[in-house]
Amino acid sequence: MSAAPVVVLVGPMGVGKSTVGQLLAERLGVGYRDTDDDIVAEQGRTIAEIFVDEGEPAFRAIEKQAVQRALTEHDGVLALGGGSILDEDTRALLAGQRVVYLSMDVEEAVKRTGLNAARPLLAVNPRKQWRDLMEARRHLYEGVATAVVATDGRTPEEVSQAALDALELKDA
């Protein structure tokens, strides 16, 4: 029998999926898992290194498998990498799941990530690239989401409470 996550978090890099995910897992009394962490552990190198060494298409193939595995193995809170929703099969797998899209505007992204070079997709003109990425991805995030929770100007605790409220989930 396959498991299914209680909550799946999606959203752009730096939005706080890991922080909010860990808080949600704690509050719901379940485990936390992040597919980016799975990939790093499995590959023995950072995501940036995979991008540089093998390119984005190779990374996306690895990511797709990691997401599929996590969706069937994990029954707690699951955070997905920012670009995982680009894959049509992944979006199909998210149908019927409780998915929270954590959103933020570009100014918040600048504050949180510094839009630094450790983010391989934001290496040149990070502010414009972040806007372009969000332009391409926003409708995909919204398309898989059961609930959208804005993170701008909110603490991780406030965001996790808003996610619980939106999904009508109770603390453990």
Side-chain angles (χ1 to χ4, degrees):
M1 187 181 120
S2 69
V6 176
V7 179
V8 179
L9 298 176
V10 298
M13 58 192 92
V15 76
K17 294 181 299 282
S18 299
T19 304
V20 170
Q22 289 166 0
L23 280 169
L24 279 173
E26 194 177 295
R27 292 183 65 175
L28 292 168
V30 297
Y32 169 77
R33 183 167 173 177
D34 182 321
T35 56
D36 281 353
D37 294 343
D38 291 353
I39 292 166
V40 169
E42 181 185 291
Q43 296 290 315
R45 55 198 167 140
T46 68
I47 287 168
E49 288 169 332
I50 298 168
F51 262 84
V52 170
D53 296 347
E54 297 180 40
E56 186 175 359
F59 171 74
R60 295 293 173 210
I62 293 166
E63 180 177 56
K64 178 179 178 173
Q65 291 180 325
V67 170
Q68 287 175 335
R69 199 167 38 247
L71 284 170
T72 59
E73 292 174 358
H74 187 65
D75 60 2
V77 175
L78 178 64
L80 304 187
S84 61
I85 46 80
L86 295 171
D87 183 78
E88 192 177 335
D89 295 334
T90 297
R91 291 194 308 273
L93 287 173
L94 291 172
Q97 303 271 356
R98 274 196 206 102
V99 180
V100 175
Y101 161 35
L102 299 180
S103 68
M104 69 179 168
D105 68 21
V106 70
E107 298 313 317
E108 190 78 8
V110 169
K111 275 190 276 189
R112 292 193 192 178
T113 64
L115 295 181
N116 60 38
R119 309 279 186 177
L121 291 177
L122 301 177
V124 181
N125 192 350
R127 191 178 291 248
K128 179 184 183 315
Q129 286 184 293
W130 193 88
R131 275 200 188 97
D132 292 349
L133 273 178
M134 284 309 299
E135 211 47 48
R137 294 177 180 181
R138 184 174 291 108
H139 71 284
L140 299 174
Y141 290 132
E142 290 170 350
V144 299
T146 311
V148 178
V149 175
T151 64
D152 305 274
R154 286 173 145 173
T155 66
E157 291 76 16
E158 290 168 333
V159 173
S160 62
Q161 185 60 54
L164 289 172
D165 292 347
L167 295 173
E168 298 179 352
L169 292 171
K170 305 284 177 241
D171 291 354

